[in-house]
Coordinates of all heavy atoms in Angstrom, one line a residue:
M1 N -5.4 -0.7 17.0 CA -5.1 -0.8 15.6 C -4.9 0.6 14.9 O -5.9 1.2 14.5 CB -6.3 -1.5 14.8 CG -6.0 -2.2 13.7 SD -7.3 -3.3 13.1 CE -8.6 -3.3 14.3
P2 N -3.8 1.0 15.0 CA -3.5 2.5 14.5 C -3.7 2.5 13.0 O -3.0 1.8 12.3 CB -2.1 2.7 15.0 CG -1.5 1.5 15.2 CD -2.5 0.4 15.5
V3 N -4.5 3.4 12.5 CA -4.5 3.9 11.1 C -3.1 4.3 10.7 O -2.5 5.0 11.4 CB -5.6 4.9 10.9 CG1 -5.4 5.5 9.5 CG2 -7.0 4.4 11.1
T4 N -2.8 3.8 9.5 CA -1.4 4.3 9.0 C -1.5 4.9 7.5 O -2.4 4.2 6.7 CB -0.4 3.0 9.0 OG1 -0.3 2.6 10.4 CG2 0.9 3.5 8.4
H5 N -1.1 5.9 7.4 CA -1.0 6.5 5.9 C 0.4 6.5 5.4 O 1.4 6.6 6.2 CB -1.5 8.0 5.9 CG -3.0 8.0 6.2 ND1 -3.4 8.3 7.5 CD2 -4.0 8.0 5.3 CE1 -4.8 8.3 7.4 NE2 -5.1 8.2 6.1
F6 N 0.6 6.1 4.1 CA 1.9 6.0 3.5 C 1.8 6.7 2.1 O 0.8 6.6 1.5 CB 2.4 4.6 3.6 CG 1.5 3.6 2.9 CD1 1.9 3.2 1.5 CD2 0.4 3.1 3.4 CE1 1.2 2.3 0.9 CE2 -0.3 2.1 2.9 CZ 0.0 1.7 1.5
R7 N 2.9 7.3 1.7 CA 2.9 7.9 0.4 C 3.9 7.1 -0.5 O 4.9 6.7 -0.2 CB 3.5 9.3 0.6 CG 2.5 10.2 1.2 CD 2.9 11.7 1.2 NE 3.9 11.7 2.2 CZ 5.1 12.3 2.0 NH1 5.6 12.9 0.9 NH2 6.0 12.3 3.1
V8 N 3.4 6.9 -1.7 CA 4.2 6.1 -2.6 C 4.5 7.1 -3.8 O 3.6 7.9 -4.2 CB 3.5 4.7 -3.1 CG1 3.5 3.9 -1.8 CG2 2.3 5.0 -3.7
R9 N 5.6 6.8 -4.5 CA 5.9 7.6 -5.8 C 6.0 6.5 -6.9 O 6.7 5.6 -6.8 CB 7.3 8.2 -5.6 CG 7.6 9.1 -6.8 CD 8.9 9.9 -6.7 NE 8.8 10.7 -5.6 CZ 9.7 10.6 -4.5 NH1 10.7 9.9 -4.5 NH2 9.6 11.6 -3.5
W10 N 5.3 6.8 -8.0 CA 5.0 5.9 -9.1 C 6.3 6.2 -10.0 O 6.9 7.2 -10.0 CB 3.7 6.0 -9.7 CG 2.7 5.7 -8.7 CD1 1.9 6.5 -8.0 CD2 2.2 4.4 -8.3 NE1 1.0 5.9 -7.2 CE2 1.1 4.5 -7.3 CE3 2.5 3.1 -8.8 CZ2 0.5 3.5 -6.8 CZ3 1.9 2.1 -8.1 CH2 1.0 2.3 -7.2
P11 N 6.4 5.3 -11.1 CA 7.4 5.5 -12.0 C 7.4 6.8 -12.9 O 8.4 7.3 -13.3 CB 7.2 4.4 -13.1 CG 6.6 3.2 -12.2 CD 5.6 4.0 -11.3
D12 N 6.2 7.4 -12.9 CA 6.1 8.8 -13.6 C 6.3 9.9 -12.6 O 6.0 11.1 -13.0 CB 4.7 8.9 -14.4 CG 3.5 9.0 -13.3 OD1 3.8 8.8 -12.1 OD2 2.4 9.2 -13.8
A13 N 6.8 9.7 -11.4 CA 7.1 10.6 -10.4 C 5.8 11.2 -9.7 O 5.9 12.1 -8.8 CB 8.0 11.8 -10.9
S14 N 4.5 10.7 -10.1 CA 3.4 11.2 -9.3 C 3.4 10.4 -8.0 O 4.0 9.4 -7.8 CB 2.2 10.8 -10.2 OG 1.9 9.5 -10.2
E15 N 2.7 11.0 -7.0 CA 2.6 10.4 -5.7 C 1.1 10.1 -5.3 O 0.3 10.9 -5.7 CB 3.3 11.3 -4.7 CG 4.8 11.4 -4.8 CD 5.5 12.0 -3.7 OE1 4.8 12.4 -2.7 OE2 6.7 12.2 -3.8
T16 N 1.0 9.1 -4.5 CA -0.4 8.8 -4.0 C -0.2 8.6 -2.4 O 0.7 8.0 -1.9 CB -0.9 7.5 -4.5 OG1 -0.9 7.6 -6.0 CG2 -2.2 7.1 -4.0
R17 N -1.2 9.2 -1.7 CA -1.2 9.0 -0.3 C -2.2 7.8 -0.1 O -3.3 7.9 -0.5 CB -1.7 10.2 0.5 CG -1.7 10.1 1.9 CD -2.0 11.4 2.6 NE -1.6 11.4 4.1 CZ -2.7 11.4 5.0 NH1 -4.0 11.5 4.7 NH2 -2.3 11.3 6.3
C18 N -1.7 6.8 0.6 CA -2.4 5.6 0.7 C -2.9 5.4 2.2 O -2.2 5.9 3.1 CB -1.6 4.4 0.3 SG -1.1 4.4 -1.5
Y19 N -3.8 4.5 2.5 CA -4.5 4.3 3.7 C -4.3 2.8 4.1 O -4.6 1.9 3.2 CB -5.9 4.7 3.7 CG -6.8 4.2 4.9 CD1 -6.8 4.9 6.1 CD2 -7.4 2.9 4.7 CE1 -7.6 4.4 7.1 CE2 -8.2 2.5 5.8 CZ -8.2 3.2 6.9 OH -9.0 2.7 8.0
S20 N -4.1 2.6 5.4 CA -4.2 1.2 5.9 C -4.8 1.3 7.3 O -4.5 2.1 8.0 CB -2.8 0.5 6.0 OG -2.9 -0.7 6.7
P21 N -5.9 0.4 7.6 CA -6.4 0.5 8.9 C -5.5 -0.1 10.0 O -5.9 0.1 11.2 CB -7.6 -0.4 8.7 CG -7.3 -1.4 7.7 CD -6.3 -0.6 6.7
S22 N -4.4 -0.6 9.6 CA -3.5 -1.0 10.6 C -2.1 -0.8 10.2 O -1.7 -0.6 9.1 CB -3.6 -2.6 10.6 OG -2.7 -3.2 11.3
S23 N -1.2 -0.8 11.3 CA 0.2 -0.5 11.1 C 0.9 -1.6 10.5 O 2.2 -1.6 10.2 CB 0.8 0.0 12.4 OG 0.8 -1.0 13.4
V24 N 0.2 -2.8 10.3 CA 0.9 -3.9 9.7 C 1.6 -3.6 8.3 O 2.6 -4.3 8.0 CB -0.1 -5.2 9.5 CG1 -1.0 -4.9 8.4 CG2 0.7 -6.4 9.2
V25 N 1.2 -2.6 7.6 CA 1.8 -2.1 6.5 C 3.3 -1.9 6.7 O 4.1 -2.0 5.7 CB 1.1 -1.0 5.8 CG1 1.2 0.3 6.6 CG2 1.4 -0.8 4.4
R26 N 3.6 -1.5 7.8 CA 5.1 -1.1 8.2 C 6.1 -2.4 8.2 O 7.1 -2.3 8.0 CB 5.2 -0.5 9.5 CG 4.7 0.9 9.6 CD 4.7 1.5 11.0 NE 4.3 2.9 11.1 CZ 5.2 3.9 10.8 NH1 6.3 3.8 10.5 NH2 4.7 5.2 10.9
E27 N 5.4 -3.5 8.3 CA 6.1 -4.8 8.3 C 6.3 -5.3 6.8 O 7.2 -6.2 6.6 CB 5.3 -5.9 9.1 CG 5.2 -5.7 10.5 CD 4.3 -6.6 11.2 OE1 4.0 -7.7 10.6 OE2 3.8 -6.2 12.3
H28 N 5.8 -4.7 5.9 CA 5.7 -5.0 4.5 C 6.4 -4.0 3.6 O 6.9 -4.4 2.5 CB 4.4 -5.4 4.0 CG 3.8 -6.5 4.7 ND1 3.9 -7.8 4.3 CD2 3.0 -6.6 5.8 CE1 3.3 -8.7 5.1 NE2 2.7 -7.8 6.1
L29 N 6.4 -2.7 4.0 CA 7.0 -1.7 3.2 C 7.9 -0.8 4.1 O 7.6 -0.7 5.3 CB 5.9 -0.8 2.6 CG 4.9 -1.6 1.7 CD1 3.7 -0.6 1.4 CD2 5.5 -2.0 0.3
A30 N 9.0 -0.3 3.5 CA 10.0 0.5 4.2 C 10.0 1.9 3.6 O 10.2 1.9 2.3 CB 11.2 -0.2 4.2
P31 N 10.1 3.0 4.4 CA 10.2 4.2 3.7 C 11.5 4.4 3.1 O 12.6 3.9 3.6 CB 10.2 5.2 5.0 CG 10.0 4.4 6.2 CD 9.8 2.9 5.8
G32 N 11.5 5.0 2.0 CA 12.8 5.2 1.2 C 13.1 4.0 0.3 O 14.1 4.2 -0.6
Q33 N 12.5 2.9 0.4 CA 12.7 1.7 -0.3 C 12.1 1.8 -1.8 O 10.9 2.2 -1.8 CB 12.3 0.5 0.5 CG 12.5 -0.8 -0.2 CD 14.1 -1.1 -0.2 OE1 14.8 -0.9 0.7 NE2 14.6 -1.6 -1.3
R34 N 12.9 1.4 -2.7 CA 12.3 1.2 -4.0 C 11.9 -0.3 -4.3 O 12.7 -1.1 -4.0 CB 13.3 1.8 -5.1 CG 13.4 3.2 -4.9 CD 14.5 3.7 -5.9 NE 14.0 3.6 -7.2 CZ 14.7 4.0 -8.3 NH1 16.0 4.3 -8.1 NH2 14.1 3.9 -9.5
Y35 N 10.8 -0.6 -4.8 CA 10.4 -1.9 -5.1 C 10.0 -2.1 -6.6 O 9.4 -1.1 -7.2 CB 9.1 -2.2 -4.2 CG 9.3 -2.2 -2.8 CD1 9.0 -1.0 -2.1 CD2 9.9 -3.3 -2.1 CE1 9.1 -1.0 -0.7 CE2 10.0 -3.2 -0.8 CZ 9.6 -2.1 0.0 OH 9.8 -1.9 1.3
A36 N 10.4 -3.1 -7.1 CA 9.8 -3.5 -8.5 C 8.4 -3.5 -8.4 O 7.8 -3.8 -7.4 CB 10.4 -4.8 -9.0
L37 N 7.7 -3.0 -9.4 CA 6.3 -3.0 -9.4 C 5.5 -4.2 -9.0 O 4.7 -4.1 -8.1 CB 5.8 -2.5 -10.9 CG 4.3 -2.2 -11.1 CD1 3.9 -1.1 -10.2 CD2 4.0 -2.2 -12.6
D38 N 5.9 -5.3 -9.4 CA 5.2 -6.5 -9.1 C 5.5 -6.8 -7.6 O 4.6 -7.3 -6.9 CB 5.7 -7.7 -10.0 CG 5.1 -7.7 -11.3 OD1 4.1 -6.9 -11.5 OD2 5.7 -8.4 -12.2
D39 N 6.7 -6.6 -7.1 CA 7.0 -6.8 -5.6 C 6.1 -5.8 -4.8 O 5.6 -6.3 -3.8 CB 8.5 -6.6 -5.5 CG 8.9 -6.9 -4.1 OD1 8.2 -7.8 -3.4 OD2 9.9 -6.4 -3.6
F40 N 6.1 -4.6 -5.3 CA 5.3 -3.6 -4.5 C 3.8 -4.1 -4.4 O 3.2 -4.1 -3.3 CB 5.4 -2.3 -5.1 CG 4.5 -1.2 -4.4 CD1 4.8 -0.7 -3.3 CD2 3.3 -1.0 -5.1 CE1 3.8 0.1 -2.6 CE2 2.4 0.0 -4.5 CZ 2.7 0.4 -3.3
L41 N 3.3 -4.5 -5.5 CA 1.9 -5.0 -5.5 C 1.7 -6.2 -4.6 O 0.7 -6.3 -4.0 CB 1.4 -5.3 -7.0 CG 1.2 -4.1 -7.9 CD1 1.0 -4.6 -9.3 CD2 0.0 -3.3 -7.4
Q42 N 2.6 -7.2 -4.7 CA 2.4 -8.2 -3.7 C 2.5 -7.8 -2.3 O 1.8 -8.3 -1.5 CB 3.6 -9.3 -4.0 CG 3.6 -10.5 -3.1 CD 4.8 -11.4 -3.4 OE1 5.4 -11.3 -4.4 NE2 5.1 -12.2 -2.5
R43 N 3.4 -6.9 -1.9 CA 3.5 -6.5 -0.7 C 2.2 -5.7 -0.2 O 1.8 -5.8 0.9 CB 4.8 -5.6 -0.5 CG 6.0 -6.4 -0.5 CD 7.2 -5.4 -0.6 NE 8.4 -6.2 -0.7 CZ 9.2 -6.6 0.3 NH1 8.8 -6.2 1.5 NH2 10.3 -7.2 0.2
A44 N 1.8 -4.9 -1.1 CA 0.6 -4.1 -0.8 C -0.6 -5.0 -0.6 O -1.4 -4.9 0.4 CB 0.3 -3.0 -1.9
R45 N -0.8 -6.0 -1.5 CA -1.9 -7.0 -1.4 C -1.8 -7.6 0.0 O -2.9 -7.8 0.7 CB -1.8 -8.0 -2.5 CG -2.3 -7.4 -3.8 CD -2.2 -8.4 -4.9 NE -2.5 -7.8 -6.2 CZ -1.7 -7.9 -7.3 NH1 -0.6 -8.5 -7.2 NH2 -2.0 -7.3 -8.3
E46 N -0.7 -8.1 0.3 CA -0.6 -9.0 1.6 C -0.8 -8.0 2.8 O -1.7 -8.4 3.7 CB 0.9 -9.5 1.7 CG 1.1 -10.5 2.8 CD 2.3 -11.2 2.9 OE1 3.1 -11.1 1.9 OE2 2.5 -11.8 4.0
A47 N -0.2 -6.8 2.9 CA -0.3 -5.9 4.0 C -1.8 -5.5 4.2 O -2.4 -5.5 5.2 CB 0.6 -4.7 3.9
L48 N -2.4 -5.1 3.1 CA -3.7 -4.5 3.2 C -4.7 -5.7 3.4 O -5.8 -5.5 4.1 CB -4.2 -3.7 2.0 CG -3.4 -2.4 1.8 CD1 -3.6 -1.8 0.5 CD2 -3.8 -1.4 2.9
G49 N -4.5 -6.9 3.0 CA -5.3 -8.0 3.3 C -5.3 -8.4 4.7 O -6.3 -8.6 5.5
I50 N -4.1 -8.4 5.3 CA -3.9 -8.6 6.7 C -4.6 -7.6 7.5 O -5.3 -7.8 8.5 CB -2.4 -8.7 7.1 CG1 -1.8 -10.0 6.4 CG2 -2.2 -8.7 8.6 CD1 -0.3 -10.0 6.5
A51 N -4.4 -6.3 7.1 CA -5.0 -5.2 7.9 C -6.6 -5.3 7.9 O -7.3 -5.1 8.9 CB -4.5 -3.9 7.1
S52 N -7.1 -5.6 6.7 CA -8.6 -5.9 6.7 C -9.1 -7.0 7.6 O -10.1 -6.8 8.1 CB -8.9 -6.1 5.1 OG -10.3 -6.3 5.1
E53 N -8.3 -8.1 7.5 CA -8.6 -9.2 8.4 C -8.5 -8.8 9.9 O -9.3 -9.4 10.7 CB -7.8 -10.4 8.1 CG -8.2 -11.0 6.8 CD -9.7 -11.4 6.7 OE1 -10.2 -12.2 7.6 OE2 -10.3 -11.0 5.8
R54 N -7.5 -7.9 10.3 CA -7.5 -7.5 11.6 C -8.7 -6.7 12.0 O -9.3 -6.9 13.1 CB -6.2 -6.7 11.8 CG -5.0 -7.5 11.8 CD -3.8 -6.6 12.2 NE -2.6 -7.5 12.2 CZ -1.4 -7.1 12.5 NH1 -1.2 -5.8 12.8 NH2 -0.3 -7.9 12.6
V55 N -9.3 -5.9 11.1 CA -10.6 -5.2 11.3 C -11.6 -6.2 11.5 O -12.5 -6.1 12.4 CB -11.0 -4.2 10.2 CG1 -12.2 -3.7 10.3 CG2 -9.8 -3.1 10.2
R56 N -11.7 -7.2 10.6 CA -12.7 -8.3 10.8 C -12.6 -9.0 12.1 O -13.7 -9.2 12.8 CB -12.6 -9.3 9.6 CG -13.7 -10.4 9.7 CD -13.4 -11.6 8.8 NE -13.1 -11.3 7.4 CZ -13.9 -10.9 6.5 NH1 -15.2 -11.0 6.8 NH2 -13.6 -10.7 5.3
A57 N -11.5 -9.3 12.6 CA -11.4 -10.0 13.8 C -11.8 -9.1 15.1 O -12.4 -9.5 16.0 CB -9.8 -10.3 14.1
K58 N -11.6 -7.7 14.9 CA -11.9 -6.8 15.9 C -13.4 -6.3 15.9 O -14.1 -6.4 16.9 CB -11.1 -5.6 16.0 CG -11.4 -4.6 17.2 CD -10.3 -3.7 17.2 CE -10.5 -2.7 18.5 NZ -9.4 -1.8 18.6
Y59 N -13.9 -6.3 14.7 CA -15.2 -5.7 14.6 C -16.3 -6.6 13.9 O -17.5 -6.2 13.8 CB -15.3 -4.4 13.8 CG -14.4 -3.2 14.4 CD1 -13.1 -2.9 14.0 CD2 -14.9 -2.5 15.5 CE1 -12.3 -2.0 14.6 CE2 -14.1 -1.6 16.1 CZ -12.8 -1.3 15.7 OH -12.1 -0.4 16.3
G60 N -15.8 -7.6 13.4 CA -16.8 -8.6 12.8 C -17.1 -8.4 11.3 O -17.9 -9.0 10.7
F61 N -16.3 -7.5 10.7 CA -16.5 -7.3 9.2 C -15.1 -6.7 8.7 O -14.3 -6.1 9.4 CB -17.5 -6.3 8.8 CG -17.5 -5.0 9.6 CD1 -16.6 -3.9 9.3 CD2 -18.1 -4.8 10.8 CE1 -16.5 -2.8 9.9 CE2 -18.0 -3.6 11.6 CZ -17.2 -2.6 11.1
A62 N -14.8 -7.1 7.4 CA -13.6 -6.6 6.7 C -13.6 -5.2 6.5 O -14.7 -4.5 6.6 CB -13.5 -7.4 5.4
C63 N -12.4 -4.6 6.3 CA -12.4 -3.1 6.1 C -12.4 -2.9 4.6 O -11.6 -3.1 3.8 CB -11.0 -2.7 6.6 SG -10.8 -0.9 6.3
S64 N -13.5 -2.3 4.2 CA -13.8 -2.0 2.8 C -12.8 -0.8 2.3 O -12.4 -0.9 1.2 CB -15.2 -1.6 2.5 OG -15.6 -0.5 3.2
Q65 N -12.5 0.1 3.3 CA -11.5 1.1 2.8 C -10.2 0.6 2.4 O -9.5 1.0 1.4 CB -11.4 2.1 4.0 CG -12.5 3.1 4.2 CD -12.1 4.1 5.2 OE1 -12.1 3.7 6.4 NE2 -11.8 5.3 4.8
A66 N -9.7 -0.5 3.1 CA -8.5 -1.2 2.8 C -8.6 -1.8 1.4 O -7.6 -1.7 0.6 CB -8.0 -2.3 3.8
M67 N -9.7 -2.4 1.1 CA -9.9 -3.0 -0.3 C -10.0 -2.0 -1.3 O -9.5 -2.2 -2.4 CB -11.0 -4.0 -0.2 CG -10.9 -5.2 0.8 SD -9.4 -6.2 0.4 CE -8.1 -5.6 1.4
D68 N -10.7 -0.9 -0.9 CA -10.8 0.2 -1.9 C -9.3 0.8 -2.2 O -9.0 1.1 -3.3 CB -11.7 1.4 -1.4 CG -13.1 1.0 -1.3 OD1 -13.5 -0.1 -1.9 OD2 -13.9 1.7 -0.7
Q69 N -8.6 0.9 -1.1 CA -7.3 1.4 -1.4 C -6.4 0.5 -2.3 O -5.7 0.9 -3.1 CB -6.5 1.6 0.0 CG -5.1 2.2 -0.2 CD -5.1 3.5 -0.8 OE1 -5.4 4.5 -0.2 NE2 -4.7 3.5 -2.0
L70 N -6.5 -0.8 -2.0 CA -5.8 -1.8 -2.8 C -6.3 -1.7 -4.2 O -5.5 -1.7 -5.2 CB -6.0 -3.2 -2.3 CG -5.4 -4.4 -3.1 CD1 -3.8 -4.1 -3.1 CD2 -5.6 -5.7 -2.4
A71 N -7.5 -1.6 -4.6 CA -8.1 -1.4 -5.9 C -7.6 -0.2 -6.5 O -7.1 -0.2 -7.7 CB -9.6 -1.3 -5.9
E72 N -7.4 0.9 -5.8 CA -6.8 2.2 -6.3 C -5.4 1.9 -6.6 O -4.8 2.3 -7.8 CB -6.9 3.3 -5.3 CG -6.3 4.6 -5.9 CD -6.3 5.8 -4.9 OE1 -6.7 5.6 -3.8 OE2 -5.9 6.8 -5.2
I73 N -4.5 1.2 -5.8 CA -3.1 0.9 -6.1 C -3.1 0.2 -7.2 O -2.2 0.4 -8.2 CB -2.6 0.2 -4.8 CG1 -2.3 1.3 -3.8 CG2 -1.2 -0.4 -5.2 CD1 -2.0 0.7 -2.3
E74 N -3.8 -1.0 -7.3 CA -3.8 -1.8 -8.6 C -4.2 -1.1 -9.8 O -3.5 -1.4 -10.9 CB -4.7 -3.1 -8.4 CG -4.2 -3.9 -7.2 CD -5.0 -5.2 -7.0 OE1 -6.3 -5.0 -7.1 OE2 -4.5 -6.2 -6.6
G75 N -5.1 -0.2 -9.7 CA -5.4 0.6 -11.0 C -4.4 1.5 -11.4 O -4.1 1.6 -12.7
I76 N -3.7 2.1 -10.5 CA -2.6 3.0 -11.0 C -1.4 2.2 -11.4 O -0.8 2.5 -12.4 CB -2.1 3.9 -9.7 CG1 -3.2 4.9 -9.3 CG2 -0.8 4.6 -10.0 CD1 -3.0 5.7 -8.0
A77 N -1.2 1.1 -10.8 CA -0.1 0.2 -11.2 C -0.3 -0.3 -12.6 O 0.8 -0.6 -13.3 CB 0.1 -0.9 -10.2
A78 N -1.5 -0.7 -12.9 CA -1.8 -1.1 -14.3 C -1.2 -0.2 -15.4 O -0.9 -0.7 -16.4 CB -3.3 -1.3 -14.4
R79 N -1.2 1.1 -15.1 CA -0.8 2.1 -16.1 C 0.7 1.8 -16.4 O 1.3 2.2 -17.5 CB -0.9 3.4 -15.6 CG -2.3 3.9 -15.4 CD -2.5 5.4 -15.0 NE -1.4 6.1 -14.6 CZ -1.4 6.9 -13.5 NH1 -2.5 7.0 -12.8 NH2 -0.3 7.6 -13.1
F80 N 1.5 1.2 -15.5 CA 2.8 1.0 -15.6 C 3.4 -0.4 -16.0 O 4.5 -0.8 -16.0 CB 3.7 1.5 -14.4 CG 3.3 2.9 -14.0 CD1 2.4 3.1 -12.9 CD2 3.8 4.0 -14.9 CE1 2.2 4.5 -12.6 CE2 3.5 5.3 -14.5 CZ 2.6 5.5 -13.4
S81 N 2.3 -1.3 -16.1 CA 2.6 -2.7 -16.3 C 3.5 -3.0 -17.5 O 4.1 -3.9 -17.6 CB 1.3 -3.5 -16.4 OG 0.6 -3.1 -17.5
A82 N 3.4 -2.2 -18.6 CA 4.2 -2.4 -19.7 C 5.5 -1.6 -19.7 O 6.4 -1.7 -20.7 CB 3.4 -2.0 -21.0
T83 N 5.7 -0.9 -18.6 CA 7.1 -0.2 -18.5 C 8.1 -1.1 -17.9 O 8.0 -1.7 -16.9 CB 6.8 1.0 -17.5 OG1 5.8 1.9 -17.9 CG2 8.2 1.8 -17.4
A84 N 9.1 -1.2 -18.8 CA 10.3 -2.1 -18.3 C 10.9 -1.7 -17.0 O 11.1 -0.4 -16.9 CB 11.2 -2.1 -19.4
H85 N 11.2 -2.4 -16.1 CA 11.8 -2.1 -14.9 C 11.2 -1.1 -14.0 O 11.7 -0.3 -13.3 CB 13.3 -1.7 -15.1 CG 14.0 -2.7 -16.0 ND1 14.4 -4.0 -15.6 CD2 14.5 -2.5 -17.3 CE1 14.9 -4.6 -16.6 NE2 15.1 -3.8 -17.6
A86 N 9.8 -1.0 -14.1 CA 9.0 0.0 -13.4 C 9.3 -0.3 -11.9 O 9.2 -1.4 -11.3 CB 7.6 -0.2 -13.7
Q87 N 9.5 0.9 -11.2 CA 9.6 0.7 -9.7 C 8.8 1.7 -9.0 O 8.5 2.8 -9.5 CB 11.2 1.0 -9.4 CG 12.1 0.0 -9.8 CD 13.4 0.2 -9.3 OE1 14.0 1.2 -9.0 NE2 14.2 -1.0 -8.9
V88 N 8.5 1.4 -7.7 CA 7.6 2.2 -6.9 C 8.4 2.5 -5.6 O 9.0 1.5 -5.1 CB 6.3 1.5 -6.6 CG1 5.5 2.4 -5.6 CG2 5.5 1.1 -7.8
T89 N 8.4 3.7 -5.2 CA 9.2 4.1 -4.0 C 8.2 4.4 -3.0 O 7.3 5.1 -3.2 CB 10.1 5.3 -4.3 OG1 10.9 5.1 -5.4 CG2 10.8 5.7 -3.1
V90 N 8.4 3.8 -1.8 CA 7.7 4.2 -0.5 C 8.4 5.5 0.0 O 9.4 5.4 0.5 CB 7.6 3.1 0.5 CG1 7.0 3.5 1.7 CG2 7.0 1.9 -0.1
V91 N 7.8 6.6 -0.1 CA 8.3 7.9 0.2 C 8.4 8.0 1.8 O 9.4 8.3 2.3 CB 7.5 9.1 -0.4 CG1 8.0 10.5 0.1 CG2 7.5 8.9 -1.9
A92 N 7.2 7.8 2.4 CA 7.2 8.0 3.9 C 5.9 7.4 4.4 O 5.0 7.2 3.7 CB 7.3 9.5 4.3
F93 N 6.0 7.2 5.7 CA 4.7 7.0 6.4 C 4.3 8.3 7.2 O 5.1 9.0 7.7 CB 5.0 6.0 7.5 CG 5.0 4.5 7.0 CD1 6.4 4.1 6.8 CD2 4.0 3.9 6.6 CE1 6.5 2.8 6.3 CE2 4.1 2.5 6.1 CZ 5.5 2.0 6.0
D94 N 3.0 8.6 7.0 CA 2.5 10.0 7.5 C 1.6 9.8 8.7 O 0.5 10.2 8.6 CB 1.7 10.7 6.4 CG 2.4 10.9 5.2 OD1 3.7 11.1 5.2 OD2 1.8 11.0 4.1
D95 N 2.1 9.2 9.7 CA 1.2 9.0 10.9 C 1.2 10.3 11.8 O 1.9 10.7 12.4 CB 1.8 7.8 11.8 CG 1.9 6.6 10.9 OD1 1.0 6.3 10.2 OD2 2.9 5.8 11.3

C-alpha cells in the first residue's frame, strides 16, 4: 500500500500538499486536471475513504491521517464555496 502525496492548487492559487495512505487516489484524480470544486471534493472523499478502508483491511483500523487530510481539504474548500465556478487543479503526484 504505497503512500501517495499529491499537490492541489486552489482557486486563490495557493497550494496544498496532500496525503493518502494508498495510491488509489491516482484512480480518482489526474495530474494537470482541473476539477469543479464539488467534483474535486467528491473525488477526494471517495479516494481517501477507500484508502482508509484499505488500511483497515490490512491493519484492523481505519487510517486517521486519511480522514484528517479529508477534513483539511474540506475546510480549505469551504472558503471557496461561494466562489462561482471555483476549480481545483491537481498539480502533481509527489511520490
Side-chain angles (χ1 to χ4, degrees):
M1 205 169 353
V3 167
T4 302
H5 290 93
F6 56 102
R7 286 181 289 128
V8 299
R9 184 175 303 121
W10 299 98
D12 65 355
S14 65
E15 291 189 9
T16 301
R17 186 170 189 250
C18 301
Y19 165 86
S20 172
S22 167
S23 61
V24 71
V25 71
R26 292 177 174 274
E27 298 172 17
H28 298 271
L29 300 170
Q33 183 68 42
R34 295 175 70 183
Y35 299 95
L37 183 63
D38 288 342
D39 185 28
F40 173 75
L41 285 172
Q42 177 184 343
R43 290 168 179 272
R45 286 178 186 126
E46 186 171 347
L48 291 171
I50 291 169
S52 181
E53 287 305 310
R54 287 185 177 182
V55 170
R56 182 190 310 277
K58 185 169 184 175
Y59 298 105
F61 52 86
C63 180
S64 61
Q65 281 184 290
M67 296 300 93
D68 290 347
Q69 181 62 74
L70 180 56
E72 180 184 5
I73 287 170
E74 290 176 334
I76 294 170
R79 298 188 339 227
F80 306 107
S81 63
T83 304
H85 310 293
Q87 293 191 326
V88 179
T89 302
V90 175
V91 177
F93 287 99
D94 298 334
D95 303 321

